[in-house]
């Protein structure tokens, strides 16, 4: 019977194996699923407790395995892809005799062009590319979010106080009781409808400072597909890294 395990917000395919030959409960994580093996007469509750106790370990290792399965480690070189607004851009590193490092988005070619002093090589060069990417993304994220905040706050008839760009591992945005909105710059790698959802979500907090049914109704009024966008973030959010 296909089954799944829900740990926090992550859903993992799950398999349980019981056998009289198994002496103790153990967990095995493969790229496809999490498998728990247990002695034949182990009670359901005991298995559940074991999973709960190891929840963090399972989540951490499952996520790590998924990430390494889908993405080879970055070397920050020509030929690699970077995502921006849900599009996969080709990274192109161009050596120049100058000292300047710059990033330029060639929209027509779906290419992110990075100019780099040719003297920078090896690790130094990788680090320099990473840094300029970081800067470029933050710059773009600020502009994209501001434009969307202005658009949606007008549509929704609300006014926010201050907007700040944030970098957080697991949070995409927040809104304080003072009406200050924080948004995670990494989200600018996600498709635009997901960004619209994030902005609508935080702007809705200007009216409801909670996640009540009324709050979600309000979000749905401007973003009927919000559940799909939340799922997207849950499933793909961890891959939005440079
Ligand atoms: Zn919220």
């Amino acid at each position: 019977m296909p089954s799944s395990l829900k740990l926090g917000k992550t859903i993992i395919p799950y398999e349980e194996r019981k056998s009289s030959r198994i002496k103790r409960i153990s967990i095995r994580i493969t790229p496809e699923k999490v498998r728990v093996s247990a002695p034949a007469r182990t009670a359901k509750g005991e298995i559940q407790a074991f999973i709960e106790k190891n929840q963090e370990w399972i989540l951490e290792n499952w996520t790590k395995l998924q990430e390494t399965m889908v993405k080879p480690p970055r070397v920050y070189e020509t030929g690699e892809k970077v995502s921006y607004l849900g599009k996969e851009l080709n990274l192109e590193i161009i050596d120049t005799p100058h000292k300047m490092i710059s990033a330029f988005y060639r929209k027509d070619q779906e290419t992110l062009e990075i100019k780099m002093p040719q003297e920078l090589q090896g690790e130094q060069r990788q680090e320099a590319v990473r840094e300029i990417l970081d800067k470029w993304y933050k710059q773009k994220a600020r502009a994209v979010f501001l434009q969307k905040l202005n658009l949606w706050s007008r549509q929704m008839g609300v006014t926010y106080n201050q907007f700040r760009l944030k970098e957080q591992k697991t949070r995409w945005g927040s809104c304080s009781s003072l009406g200050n909105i924080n948004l995670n710059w990494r989200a600018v790698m996600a498709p635009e409808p997901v960004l619209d959802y994030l902005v609508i979500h935080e702007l809705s907090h200007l009216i409801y400072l909670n996640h009540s049914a009324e709050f979600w109704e309000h979000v749905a009024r401007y973003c009927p597909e919000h559940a799909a966008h939340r799922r997207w973030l849950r499933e793909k959010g961890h891959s939005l890294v440079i």
Side-chain angles (χ1 to χ4, degrees), residues 68 71-76 80:
T68 52
K71 266 193 187 171
R74 264 205 194 292
V75 287
Y76 301 103
E80 285 185 314

Side-chain angles (χ1 to χ4, degrees), residues 50-61:
F50 191 77
I51 290 171
E52 253 159 57
K53 202 176 76 187
N54 292 288
Q55 176 165 334
E56 259 173 59
W57 178 85
I58 298 173
L59 258 181
E60 195 182 306
N61 286 284

Side-chain angles (χ1 to χ4, degrees), residues 54-201:
N54 292 288
Q55 176 165 334
E56 259 173 59
W57 178 85
I58 298 173
L59 258 181
E60 195 182 306
N61 286 284
W62 169 259
T63 312
K64 235 188 262 165
L65 199 54
Q66 296 306 303
E67 276 167 15
T68 52
M69 290 300 294
V70 292
K71 266 193 187 171
R74 264 205 194 292
V75 287
Y76 301 103
E77 265 306 339
T78 296
E80 285 185 314
K81 302 270 186 191
V82 288
S83 27
Y84 175 59
L85 300 179
K87 286 189 286 257
E88 294 285 291
L89 308 184
N90 303 304
L91 194 61
E92 197 181 333
I93 319 272
I94 300 166
D95 285 316
T96 75
H98 313 293
K99 294 261 179 241
M100 272 273 289
I101 303 176
S102 64
F104 183 73
Y105 174 28
R106 290 200 179 282
K107 205 171 176 179
D108 53 334
Q109 297 170 28
E110 307 229 312
T111 293
L112 186 63
E113 197 179 273
I114 291 178
K115 292 203 170 131
M116 186 59 51
Q118 59 200 15
E119 70 215 40
L120 280 186
Q121 291 300 329
E123 256 176 58
Q124 258 189 325
R125 178 183 164 104
Q126 281 188 17
E127 188 49 35
V129 175
R130 216 198 59 77
E131 262 173 40
I132 190 81
L133 277 177
D134 188 87
K135 208 165 125 191
W136 183 80
Y137 271 113
K138 285 177 181 164
Q139 214 173 44
K140 289 288 175 189
R142 184 176 300 281
V144 169
F145 278 136
L146 272 175
Q147 184 250 331
K148 289 196 183 295
L149 279 166
N150 291 336
L151 174 91
W152 285 110
S153 60
R154 241 182 292 131
Q155 299 252 343
M156 296 164 76
V158 289
T159 325
Y160 65 95
N161 188 17
Q162 219 179 72
F163 159 60
R164 277 212 189 96
L165 208 57
K166 288 267 172 166
E167 173 163 355
Q168 287 154 311
K169 270 232 157 78
T170 51
R171 259 185 127 175
W172 297 108
S174 60
C175 178
S176 75
S177 56
L178 298 171
N180 296 327
I181 288 179
N182 297 322
L183 289 160
N184 191 331
W185 66 265
R186 292 196 296 119
V188 83
M189 296 180 220
E192 282 212 69
V194 175
L195 297 185
D196 285 310
Y197 155 69
L198 281 177
V199 167
I200 291 165
H201 179 124

